[in-house]
Amino acid sequence: MQVTQPLTPQRVREIAAGFDLRALPPDFHANPYPVYAALRASEPVRAMPDGSWFLTRHADLVAVYRDAQVFSSDKKVEFTPKYGAGSPLLEHHTTSLVFNDPPLHTRVRKLIMGALTRRAIADMEPGLVTLVDHLLDGIAVRGGGDLVEDFASAIPVEIIGNLLDVPHADRAPLRGWSLAILGALEPKLTPEQEELGQRSVREFLDYLRVLVAERRRHPGDPEHDVLTRLIRGDGAGEQLSETELLHNCIFILNAGHETTTNLIGNALVALQEWPAEKERLLESIGPHPDWNALEPLMTLAVDEFLRFESSNQLGNRRALRSCQVGGVTLPEGALVTLCIGAANRDPAVFANPEMLDLRRENNRHLAFGFGVHQCAGLSLARLEGRIAIGRFLARFPGYRLTGTPTRGGRARFRGFLRAPFAIA
Ligand code: HEM
């Protein structure tokens, strides 16, 4: 069980003063929360050695998220030297809605939200249940396997594939492209990681050009097909350009992969570390799960998993002018890292923040961000979480880890690469 022990005030100051996102200590990924707690207490708006700022308090993150006029998401300034002018990664990340500001962001977001309707999400549920149960059948036959490889990671790729109606035969490379492109957002990149990211954007674009051309020739039912609606636009003449369409399809396909995989994987590992919470969930499921009765508790539980081990731990903004955050003056151009993982354990907002409490009400976590860029896929992510975690638990209540899970080892996306388990 990961409970952060109290540290002496001097130790807290030392940890905060030594924190550098680009030079993390080897034990950081196993448990970053004592470091985050030290930063919140001692240097909540920390000036980093590279000149950027690292924010850990919930109230400060909310203030930054709220003020999209001052805190820009546009990454052209930052990413041009990082990826190189004219490079595929630069074009991709600077065309995705998440890395743009209003008014461009507002237009693209409206078109995307118009395509990701409540009905489109609700339509996903039967396919999701079938997929999850099929994976569980395979696990039952094998007596276990790997929580990430055999279960958590197999769900989002299919679900997002279904959302855009990508033919099943074409789906194999999607996860690899997605991991490589998002992996290239890490603060420090090896030349190999960068090259893989660039190649993955090129290959993904080549694939989508063919898929979109095919869908233009043979549109799907716009009531149900998200890609057809994205191609058509809002029906009042507003449409995405071809470049916007392709890159935002890549972004939608990517945004829902690793984040949702990690939600499911992190939850199933956390339940092993918090057996009393697992029992609580199991008691409410009972031997024959009534999904309607289970729904309210699973809804709270999924949000608590998102708070406790946020799959996306870091966000970024750039200050367009000099401003104050948490009493500290930031200069014009300041690069700001928003530490969601730290804000989600802020004792100023959450009672017993280091405890996994699946019945936590009024959970104001920031796992989906906040404000104009708040996650456009949060309903789909929550649906996937409820169904995957709930059905897994109902089917294999006695599952147990058979080895130490292997962490992904990245600061931004928190999750496991492998977590071997047996069903009893
Ligand atoms: C557990 C799963 C997920 C987590 C933790 C998550 C987290 C986030 C966060 C933190 C942001 C805000 C980024 C910022 O403010 O800079 C975001 C934005 C976004 N997410 Fe998610 N996400 C998840 C799943 C999904 C899924 C399944 C989809 C697709 C259907 C999706 C699509 C998007 C899109 C399109 C945006 C950009 C919104 C905008 O800029 O207006 N996400 N997500």
Side-chain angles (χ1 to χ4, degrees):
M1 187 186 295
Q2 256 181 22
V3 179
T4 305
Q5 299 301 324
L7 299 166
T8 62
Q10 190 191 335
R11 187 72 195 115
V12 165
R13 281 195 298 276
E14 279 168 10
I15 293 175
F19 180 74
D20 182 356
L21 191 57
R22 289 170 181 270
L24 295 169
D27 57 351
F28 178 83
H29 298 296
N31 184 9
Y33 301 108
V35 177
Y36 291 162
L39 284 163
R40 260 192 331 258
S42 180
E43 289 190 61
V45 182
R46 173 165 163 74
M48 304 281 281
D50 67 357
S52 70
W53 300 81
F54 194 84
L55 273 54
T56 43
R57 282 192 183 156
H58 191 281
D60 293 339
L61 265 72
V62 169
V64 169
Y65 276 132
R66 274 214 169 104
D67 195 348
Q69 298 277 327
V70 169
F71 290 100
S72 168
S73 290
D74 187 316
K75 296 285 187 287
K76 289 178 197 75
V77 170
E78 205 182 330
F79 284 175
T80 304
K82 179 172 172 136
Y83 299 129
S87 70
L89 274 170
L90 184 68
E91 184 184 71
H92 170 64
H93 286 308
T94 55
T95 311
S96 303
L97 81 160
V98 75
F99 295 138
N100 273 289
D101 291 334
L104 194 143
H105 166 263
T106 319
R107 197 185 122 255
V108 175
R109 179 160 172 122
K110 212 168 143 218
L111 288 164
I112 288 180
M113 294 309 278
L116 285 176
T117 56
R118 196 184 284 262
R119 172 143 182 213
I121 305 297
D123 278 354
M124 314 287 303
E125 186 162 343
L128 179 55
V129 168
T130 308
L131 167 69
V132 165
D133 286 355
H134 173 72
L135 294 170
L136 296 176
D137 289 344
I139 289 169
V141 170
R142 295 189 299 274
D146 191 287
L147 285 175
V148 180
E149 283 299 318
D150 299 326
F151 189 62
S153 70
I155 297 167
V157 67
E158 287 299 316
I159 292 310
I160 306 274
N162 288 352
L163 191 74
L164 296 186
D165 206 7
V166 175
H168 282 275
D170 298 350
R171 292 184 188 181
L174 294 184
R175 183 167 177 236
W177 288 334
S178 165
L179 292 178
I181 295 168
L182 291 181
L185 291 173
E186 282 295 299
K188 244 171 62 174
L189 284 184
T190 64
E192 294 75 29
Q193 280 171 321
E194 192 191 329
E195 171 43 32
L196 185 65
Q198 305 283 17
R199 196 169 65 235
S200 298
V201 176
R202 279 193 297 269
E203 290 176 2
F204 215 148
L205 281 175
D206 288 345
Y207 172 69
L208 280 177
R209 268 189 210 103
V210 176
L211 184 77
V212 166
E214 180 59 24
R215 201 66 54 90
R216 283 190 199 281
R217 275 195 299 277
H218 305 289
D221 173 359
E223 284 295 309
H224 300 281
D225 183 26
V226 171
L227 182 54
T228 297
R229 273 208 301 281
L230 282 173
I231 292 171
R232 284 195 174 181
D234 68 358
E238 192 67 80
Q239 278 184 319
L240 295 171
S241 70
E242 183 76 1
T243 307
E244 287 170 346
L245 175 68
L246 296 176
H247 282 294
N248 282 288
C249 281
I250 295 184
F251 181 71
I252 291 173
L253 283 156
N254 289 349
H257 270 178
E258 202 173 355
T259 47
T260 316
T261 298
N262 290 348
L263 160 62
I264 299 166
N266 288 349
L268 291 173
V269 172
L271 285 175
Q272 292 288 308
E273 293 166 359
W274 295 83
E277 289 303 290
K278 178 172 164 246
E279 283 314 307
R280 267 186 176 186
L281 264 187
L282 282 171
E283 267 167 35
S284 60
I285 293 173
H288 303 291
D290 167 354
W291 290 100
N292 290 330
L294 186 59
E295 198 74 344
L297 181 58
M298 275 312 296
T299 301
L300 290 184
V302 165
D303 274 283
E304 177 65 350
F305 291 128
L306 283 161
R307 179 195 75 82
F308 190 71
E309 285 280 32
S310 302
S311 29
N312 186 350
Q313 295 260 313
L314 304 177
N316 297 95
R317 296 293 187 268
R318 186 167 51 90
L320 294 180
R321 52 177 189 266
S322 171
C323 56
Q324 284 241 325
V325 181
V328 176
T329 303
L330 307 188
E332 180 184 332
L335 296 177
V336 177
T337 300
L338 304 172
C339 186
I340 294 171
N344 283 348
R345 294 194 182 204
D346 188 340
V349 175
F350 303 101
N352 299 318
E354 306 295 339
M355 309 283 288
L356 180 76
D357 173 4
L358 299 181
R359 286 168 199 227
R360 194 180 290 275
E361 305 258 3
N362 188 24
N363 194 333
R364 296 195 288 127
H365 69 76
L366 299 174
F368 291 123
F370 186 77
V372 295
H373 285 281
Q374 190 178 42
C375 180
L378 56 80
S379 306
L380 181 57
R382 285 181 167 132
L383 179 73
E384 289 181 67
R386 281 202 304 277
I387 293 190
I389 301 162
R391 290 185 96 82
F392 183 97
L393 210 54
R395 185 84 174 262
F396 306 126
Y399 78 101
R400 60 185 169 79
L401 294 174
T402 53
T404 309
T406 312
R407 283 232 160 257
R410 288 190 287 161
R412 186 174 299 273
F413 295 105
R414 183 160 179 78
F416 296 98
L417 293 177
R418 281 174 295 283
F421 78 106
I423 57 177

